[in-house]
Amino acid sequence: MQYEAVIGLEVHAQLLTESKIFCGCSTQFGAEPNTQVCPVCLGMPGVLPVLNRKALEYTIKTGLAMNCKISPYSRFARKNYFYPDLPKGYQISQYELPLCEDGYLEIITDGERRKIRIKRIHLEEDAGKNIHDLSGYSFVDFNRTGVPLMEIVSEPDIKTPKEAALYMKKLRAILRYLGVCDGNLEQGSLRCDANVSVRPVGSQEYGVKTEIKNINSFRFVEKALEYEIKRQIKLINNGEKIIQETRLWDSITGTTQSMRSKEEAHDYRYFPEPDLAPVVVSSDWIEKIKKNMPELPDAKIERFIKDYGLPAYDAEILTEEKSLSEWFEEAVRLGGKPKEIANWIMVELLRILNEENKDITECNFKPSQLVELVNLVDKGIINRNIAKEVFEEVYKTGKSAEFIVKEKGLTQISDDSVIIEAIKQVMDKNPKEVDRFKNGEEKLIGFFVGQVMKLTKGKANPKLVNELVLKILKEQ
Amino acid sequence: MELHKLTLTELSKMINRGEVRPHEVIIDVFKRVQEIEPKVKAYITLTTDKAYEMARDAENAIFAGKRNLLTGIPIAIKDNICTKGILTTCASKILYNFYPPYESTVTSKLLKQKYILTGKTNMDEFAMGSSTENSGFHITRNPWDLERVPGGSSGGSAAAVAADECIAALGSDTGGSIRQPASFCGVVGLKPTYGRVSRFGLVAFASSLDQIGPITKSVADSALMMNVIAGHDPMDSTSAPIESTDFREYLGHDVKGLKIGIPKEYFIEGMDKEVEERIKEAINQLESLGCIPVEISLPHTEYAVATYYIVATSEASSNLARYDGVKYGLRAQGNDLLDMYMKTRSKGFGAEVKRRIMLGTYSLSAGYYDAYYKKALQVRTLIKSDFEKAFENVDFIVTPTAPSPAFKIGEKIDDPLQMYLSDIFTISINLAGVPAISLPCGFSGKGLPIGLQIIGKPFDEAGILQLAYAYEQSMPWHKMKPNL
Ligand SMILES: [Zn+2]
């Protein structure tokens, strides 16, 4: 039997507010343990939470970007459980009345646009971190306690691990465009839990689902789901039962392992948080936030296709990161031809950034530098192959392209006489090939061009070389 | 002169006029404490050294011309209100060593006025109880009869005020914890409207019900304290964004024509005869002052106790989860995390606190939530609307504060249900969030004080104080002192 997967994702995104959700402590990542804490986030007796309006605004922004309804009236609730990293013994979260509901975001899969529905987006506080060391004691770092966290829950609309990855990518892009989350899965500012079940293709009923936790990299979104789907299908085929449980993704073994079963699941005893008034969001406020929304990835893709005549593929890649799209537009603004600039970015710049594991914002290479380089090619001062060499040099040293061309003597040879001289030298050295050409082996033209380019150290104008080689050989 | 016998209003005037210095006051009060405290045991912590320092600060302020209502006034604070650097235990072993690194909003306000802290008063552990017998440390005795309880949970504060071991005190009231001990000890206790006084720094028992309020020797003192502690606090999201008023302004105003509702549900079969008589006399007295008594109905009263014990315990079960031995307070060593949690909480909490945590945990559990917690919230709304409807026709509601005068130590401690019923007349007020005061309205045949409760519309503390003052000034009760 053929099986299909049903996948829903629960994504937690740490908000980029300066201070925590219910107190004034800094949210900066990486500080010394317990240096960004106060009585409120330490859950000391008698202290009270005060909601950070910025966190609320960021969540509304995200809700709007994901086409959600923003509830005019929502509530915080307490989620009760004991754990050392949870100082109050409960997490302030939202339960019955979340801030945002009923949205969707679009992914393009196999050339087809698909809506993945968003069930809800709510706001909550992050927990601290337990640190276990060799002494046998455990320690708790409360710096992360109270960092605002947004939970984005999708409907089970995702059909394949690849779609799940696309959904995550789109979601991350939106969060980064909005500037509400830096989207770092490795550092945990973006976390992904997946609910997955399988069922016979065409069936309307859901199978028994498992929840996979600890998917801490983009690569693993697909891998973990692939593994889990295979595992479930195998169980069914062996006549075994799938148990509703929480499973932990282990990236080292590439498997998921049972963490706790449904019977062991916590009873969180949710109830409305009495220390916080209900959250009332006025339509005026929503309108104000709407007006200040940045252009989002989908709109930008469309504009890039329309205004710059880019293929959809290029537009999507260039808009994945807001910073990259802005880099591209700056280069175009400085006079670069859009498709040309796009090619350079996609083929050369992204390759080198990828090699260095860097972001466009982390390198010193400027749009003006790329435009200068492209202009040198356009003017015929250097050829395309040499330009690649110059590009790397500019990227690494920060020197101007023109300076590098001069310094290294890379100017393109467009002088007929120099090229003809080179062609003659090549013909003299390769009389057999000349003969074969004469006897009709026309494809040998490539051989002669290559030899000429080699002789001129790649500097000859390839177009000219082509023309002249053909002309001289024919004249023979 | 016995300065400790003075009311806050009297002493404040004297200090302001320069007739007495804070230093003399605090010497006199601590002399009284030394004498009386072994009998009453109102305090958990006496802050004697700190008090002398604060008296000096008060004198400096006066010298600098910065006099305020509470400058140099010795005030006792219930031990569930956080005072920076001063032991704050909630009368619980689990917080036996807790020194808050922050100050509650109410005590910050008192500090700004240069008050003098006499000490932290005894209470039922985490404010759970009606007799102060649930203190994790010791019991407090009623100054009017040392064999009897002072009421609770603010029993220490009420007893300290009644015994002149301070000039005024702060308590907290979740289901009657200010009013019932005020009634038992023959003093004035005000529970403000929910949201009127900041809860920041008040160790939470039931967050949606807790309010801090004054326990004083007179109604005027209560108004004076309210002038200082009331007001919006950005640190407490549930504090009302309402401008505070001068609560003393209406003291002495005529009460003629005010309609006072007498809810029939509060005069029940089998209630203490003497209480019933005193309350009826008080109503007659109010009538003779020109008030118009009107019989009213608060039909959902009978569900109040059940509703309260679900809402309050549910919130408490969550509020008390933080006492887990990880961060502060008591930690019992365990073999692993769970063992440490269980040993710490088993040792740290007393029986009543454990009982309520279990009740609350049960009410919130999956499968029971709808039948208990959710239902309780619905009934709470009905109780609230009972009051709203009643206040469409009357200005105030008058009831007994407690169904009986102070009972004997040990009398109810083994019968939690009987103990819970001692809050039967005060609990609805917290569920509805409205303000209410308890003030003395006479004595039982055994010489035990009986309290009259006046309930007002939301944020009408000024009106309550006006009516209470008119009654108080027309009667001799506030001048009576226990014979210690
Ligand atoms: Zn903090």
Side-chain angles (χ1 to χ4, degrees):
Chain A
M1 202 184 295
Q2 280 288 99
Y3 288 94
E4 66 175 11
V6 177
I7 302 165
L9 295 184
E10 256 180 52
V11 177
H12 286 91
Q14 269 186 353
L15 294 179
L16 284 170
T17 52
E18 305 232 322
S19 55
K20 293 184 179 180
I21 183 168
F22 298 124
C23 65
C25 291
S26 166
T27 55
Q28 202 80 51
F29 181 81
E32 283 291 298
N34 296 315
T35 55
Q36 292 172 352
V37 293
C38 73
V40 174
C41 55
L42 287 176
M44 287 196 153
V47 297
L48 294 168
V50 176
L51 178 61
N52 180 343
R53 299 283 293 178
K54 203 83 196 164
L56 200 56
E57 187 192 314
Y58 281 6
T59 308
I60 294 171
K61 237 183 189 175
T62 308
L64 290 171
M66 298 185 184
N67 311 292
C68 290
K69 287 183 203 131
I70 311 299
S71 310
Y73 180 94
S74 65
R75 270 221 81 124
F76 282 95
R78 289 188 185 174
K79 180 179 180 178
N80 295 287
Y81 64 96
F82 284 93
Y83 206 57
D85 68 7
L86 193 69
K88 296 188 293 297
Y90 56 85
Q91 179 195 30
I92 302 179
S93 178
Q94 293 194 293
Y95 187 58
E96 279 179 336
L97 297 166
L99 199 50
C100 317
E101 283 180 291
D102 294 337
Y104 65 88
L105 55 79
E106 284 185 335
I107 55 170
I108 296 173
T109 162
D110 298 329
E112 184 202 348
R113 236 173 235 278
R114 286 233 306 121
K115 270 183 191 171
I116 308 294
R117 288 172 302 154
I118 308 272
K119 187 176 181 171
R120 56 187 275 153
I121 303 176
H122 76 239
L123 191 53
E124 60 187 29
E125 57 180 341
D126 209 343
K129 258 183 192 162
N130 287 354
I131 301 163
H132 308 284
D133 84 355
L134 297 172
S135 68
Y137 283 96
S138 294
F139 302 85
V140 194
D141 177 5
F142 291 109
N143 281 351
R144 206 179 68 177
T145 309
V147 170
L149 207 58
M150 206 162 46
E151 185 176 307
I152 304 165
V153 184
S154 86
E155 295 284 1
D157 289 352
I158 299 164
K159 292 176 186 161
T160 64
K162 188 165 173 246
E163 279 188 4
L166 286 171
Y167 169 86
M168 277 304 284
K169 262 196 185 150
K170 180 49 92 46
L171 187 143
R172 178 176 182 271
I174 292 172
L175 296 180
R176 287 177 57 90
Y177 266 65
L178 295 172
V180 300
C181 173
D182 65 17
N184 192 325
L185 267 91
E186 284 78 11
Q187 275 180 11
S189 65
L190 193 66
R191 287 163 235 164
C192 172
D193 300 335
N195 283 299
V196 56
S197 63
V198 296
R199 63 182 176 193
V201 172
S203 165
Q204 289 306 306
E205 272 154 57
Y206 293 121
V208 177
K209 68 176 180 184
T210 58
E211 185 184 7
I212 312 169
K213 285 189 176 289
N214 197 35
I215 307 173
N216 56 1
S217 134
F218 267 102
R219 277 193 303 137
F220 299 150
V221 174
E222 270 184 85
K223 280 199 170 168
L225 283 168
E226 271 160 15
Y227 173 84
E228 181 61 17
I229 291 165
K230 268 188 206 146
R231 189 188 72 89
Q232 290 189 10
I233 293 174
K234 200 169 154 198
L235 281 177
I236 295 175
N237 287 339
N238 291 348
E240 288 172 74
K241 271 207 164 137
I242 296 162
I243 304 162
Q244 184 172 345
E245 62 184 350
T246 303
R247 298 181 69 85
L248 221 52
W249 164 250
D250 182 344
S251 61
I252 294 165
T253 57
T255 60
T256 64
Q257 303 295 335
S258 178
M259 189 173 137
R260 57 168 176 258
S261 73
K262 193 190 170 196
E263 285 70 35
E264 296 166 292
H266 296 291
D267 177 358
Y268 290 120
R269 288 171 282 121
Y270 282 100
F271 74 103
E273 165 58 278
D275 284 334
L276 289 167
V279 180
V280 177
V281 179
S282 71
S283 50
D284 281 359
W285 196 25
I286 296 175
E287 282 311 310
K288 216 168 144 192
I289 294 172
K290 262 188 198 162
K291 267 185 205 140
N292 292 315
M293 288 282 266
E295 184 182 31
L296 292 170
D298 283 348
K300 193 164 271 188
I301 289 171
E302 235 163 79
R303 187 165 62 79
F304 275 21
I305 294 172
K306 198 168 144 255
D307 291 5
Y308 300 125
L310 294 178
Y313 176 79
D314 294 24
E316 253 185 76
I317 289 183
L318 291 176
T319 53
E320 231 164 58
E321 290 288 343
K322 193 181 176 199
S323 49
L324 187 68
S325 71
E326 283 165 356
W327 202 98
F328 164 79
E329 291 208 273
E330 174 67 5
V332 172
R333 204 183 57 76
L334 292 171
K337 287 184 198 131
K339 179 61 187 152
E340 185 92 12
I341 296 292
N343 286 345
W344 275 99
I345 291 176
M346 293 187 333
V347 180
E348 298 303 325
L349 185 54
L350 287 182
R351 175 187 54 78
I352 205 163
L353 287 173
N354 210 16
E355 276 168 20
E356 295 184 359
N357 203 10
K358 271 184 182 172
D359 192 89
I360 188 76
T361 56
E362 292 164 319
C363 78
N364 293 320
F365 191 58
K366 297 276 171 301
S368 56
Q369 291 172 305
L370 179 60
V371 174
E372 189 198 353
L373 180 70
V374 174
N375 282 344
L376 290 180
V377 179
D378 273 358
K379 285 183 198 152
I381 294 170
I382 53 174
N383 68 41
R384 209 169 288 273
N385 282 325
I386 294 288
K388 284 181 185 173
E389 209 176 291
V390 176
F391 165 83
E392 293 225 11
E393 201 66 21
V394 175
Y395 181 92
K396 274 173 193 146
T397 62
K399 291 176 187 165
S400 87
E402 214 173 324
F403 180 85
I404 290 165
V405 169
K406 276 191 188 140
E407 185 187 46
K408 301 210 160 176
L410 297 173
T411 308
Q412 180 164 264
I413 302 163
S414 296
D415 186 334
D416 286 11
S417 60
V418 179
I419 294 173
I420 291 168
E421 183 56 36
I423 295 172
K424 286 203 168 135
Q425 274 186 43
V426 170
M427 285 169 71
D428 287 349
K429 274 193 199 149
N430 303 286
K432 275 185 202 154
E433 281 75 10
V434 175
D435 283 345
R436 277 164 63 196
F437 184 86
K438 277 184 194 157
N439 293 331
E441 251 185 90
E442 296 228 339
K443 63 173 189 202
L444 274 172
I445 181 100
F447 166 79
F448 288 104
V449 171
Q451 290 299 310
V452 172
M453 290 309 285
K454 201 173 163 188
L455 198 65
T456 56
K457 295 196 176 82
K459 288 186 284 185
N461 181 332
K463 213 174 132 207
L464 215 52
V465 174
N466 233 333
E467 280 169 24
L468 290 173
V469 166
L470 204 63
K471 196 173 151 213
I472 294 167
L473 280 172
K474 289 253 163 89
E475 278 170 2
Q476 284 280 317
Chain B
M1 191 181 186
E2 291 189 296
L3 296 168
H4 58 268
K5 289 225 155 75
L6 297 174
T7 65
L8 169 54
T9 310
E10 290 162 346
L11 187 60
S12 181
K13 265 186 206 143
M14 285 179 72
I15 291 174
N16 261 298
R17 289 198 203 111
E19 290 164 18
V20 62
R21 292 169 45 210
H23 192 69
E24 298 167 64
V25 176
I26 200 64
I27 287 176
D28 182 70
V29 168
F30 274 121
K31 208 175 126 231
R32 171 72 177 178
V33 169
Q34 235 169 23
E35 207 181 300
I36 298 300
E37 183 60 3
K39 294 187 204 168
V40 176
K41 302 195 82 173
Y43 289 95
I44 290 174
T45 307
L46 280 165
T47 49
T48 318
D49 293 345
K50 179 89 186 159
Y52 283 104
E53 246 173 67
M54 291 169 91
R56 204 160 41 242
D57 287 349
E59 293 198 354
N60 288 338
I62 292 166
F63 188 71
K66 289 182 203 148
R67 289 163 203 221
N68 260 310
L69 291 172
L70 298 183
T71 308
I73 306 286
I75 294 173
I77 306 290
K78 189 177 181 181
D79 210 25
N80 61 350
I81 297 173
C82 289
T83 41
K84 188 173 176 178
I86 294 163
L87 187 64
T88 300
T89 67
C90 290
S92 181
K93 290 198 179 88
I94 212 155
L95 286 176
Y96 77 104
N97 60 355
F98 183 65
Y99 293 80
Y102 44 93
E103 189 79 38
S104 75
T105 297
V106 281
T107 49
S108 296
K109 288 179 168 187
L110 300 187
L111 278 173
K112 258 195 207 132
Q113 300 234 330
K114 302 285 175 201
Y115 86 118
I116 302 172
L117 173 67
T118 53
K120 304 296 291 289
T121 56
N122 200 18
M123 54 187 281
D124 288 297
E125 183 179 5
F126 284 104
M128 295 176 185
S130 311
S131 68
T132 313
E133 291 166 291
N134 292 330
S135 167
F137 303 117
H138 57 77
I139 57 168
T140 294
R141 291 166 186 276
N142 190 317
W144 293 88
D145 178 351
L146 297 175
E147 296 304 305
R148 291 177 186 267
V149 301
S153 67
S154 310
S157 284
V161 173
D164 295 316
E165 291 192 72
C166 62
I167 301 302
L170 286 182
S172 71
D173 191 317
T174 306
S177 282
I178 287 175
R179 291 159 288 156
Q180 185 254 22
S183 166
F184 280 17
C185 292
V187 292
V188 177
L190 175 70
K191 184 210 86 84
T193 313
Y194 184 78
R196 177 64 107 170
V197 177
S198 169
R199 292 187 296 117
F200 184 85
L202 170 66
V203 180
F205 158 18
S207 315
S208 75
L209 300 160
D210 297 340
Q211 263 294 285
I212 293 172
I215 296 176
T216 55
K217 297 177 185 179
S218 74
V219 174
D221 287 5
S222 190
L224 198 153
M225 287 289 278
M226 282 298 287
N227 270 10
V228 179
I229 63 171
H232 176 65
D233 179 11
M235 302 279 277
D236 175 1
S237 309
T238 62
S239 95
I242 286 181
E243 285 292 305
S244 201
T245 56
D246 184 352
F247 294 93
R248 294 178 303 171
E249 207 176 307
Y250 295 90
L251 301 182
H253 279 207
D254 209 344
V255 295
K256 263 199 198 83
L258 290 178
K259 278 194 194 165
I260 51 170
I262 319 294
K264 58 178 184 212
E265 291 82 1
Y266 281 64
F267 295 86
I268 42 172
E269 203 57 35
M271 78 184 283
D272 186 286
K273 281 284 160 268
E274 288 178 311
V275 170
E276 192 175 354
E277 280 165 28
R278 291 301 95 76
I279 299 303
K280 290 205 162 137
E281 287 161 19
I283 292 166
N284 288 339
Q285 178 62 18
L286 286 170
E287 200 173 356
S288 76
L289 291 170
C291 296
I292 306 158
V294 183
E295 197 193 76
I296 59 160
S297 172
L298 297 167
H300 296 95
T301 301
E302 63 171 307
Y303 306 112
V305 172
T307 303
Y308 174 85
Y309 277 96
I310 290 171
V311 173
T313 58
S314 295
E315 292 180 14
S317 71
S318 172
N319 281 332
L320 270 62
R322 67 191 64 197
Y323 310 109
D324 57 5
V326 172
K327 306 160 294 276
Y328 45 75
L330 179 81
R331 174 191 288 184
Q333 291 302 325
N335 300 323
D336 55 27
L337 182 64
L338 188 63
D339 193 37
M340 188 276 281
Y341 279 161
M342 297 211 284
K343 284 188 174 142
T344 298
R345 289 169 70 84
S346 296
K347 272 191 188 170
F349 291 136
E352 181 61 24
V353 171
K354 286 177 191 161
R355 184 178 297 126
R356 296 200 191 190
I357 289 174
M358 285 190 282
L359 269 173
T361 304
Y362 184 83
S363 305
L364 290 175
S365 293
Y368 299 101
Y369 182 89
D370 287 353
Y372 294 100
Y373 186 77
K374 206 167 175 188
K375 186 64 111 203
L377 286 193
Q378 286 161 351
V379 179
R380 185 178 183 178
T381 307
L382 293 175
I383 290 170
K384 205 174 170 185
S385 78
D386 276 0
F387 280 93
E388 282 163 7
K389 277 180 203 148
F391 281 125
E392 284 170 12
N393 299 313
V394 299
D395 300 298
F396 301 97
I397 296 169
V398 171
T399 74
T401 305
S404 73
F407 44 86
K408 287 228 162 107
I409 291 166
E411 190 181 323
K412 296 189 180 178
I413 195 70
D414 295 323
D415 189 348
L417 266 183
Q418 272 308 305
M419 190 71 92
Y420 293 176
L421 288 174
S422 54
D423 292 331
I424 188 163
F425 298 144
T426 45
I427 270 171
S428 300
I429 284 77
N430 298 75
L431 289 169
V434 293
I437 201 169
S438 175
L439 73 160
C441 67
F443 292 85
S444 72
K446 290 188 177 126
L448 299 170
I450 290 169
L452 172 75
Q453 177 170 243
I454 303 173
I455 307 158
K457 295 173 187 170
F459 299 101
D460 191 24
E461 287 85 355
I464 290 177
L465 289 161
Q466 175 193 354
L467 183 61
Y469 184 77
Y471 172 82
E472 176 195 72
Q473 294 301 308
S474 72
M475 302 302 278
W477 316 124
H478 66 289
K479 290 181 188 131
M480 318 277 259
K481 295 268 184 196
N483 205 352
L484 272 161

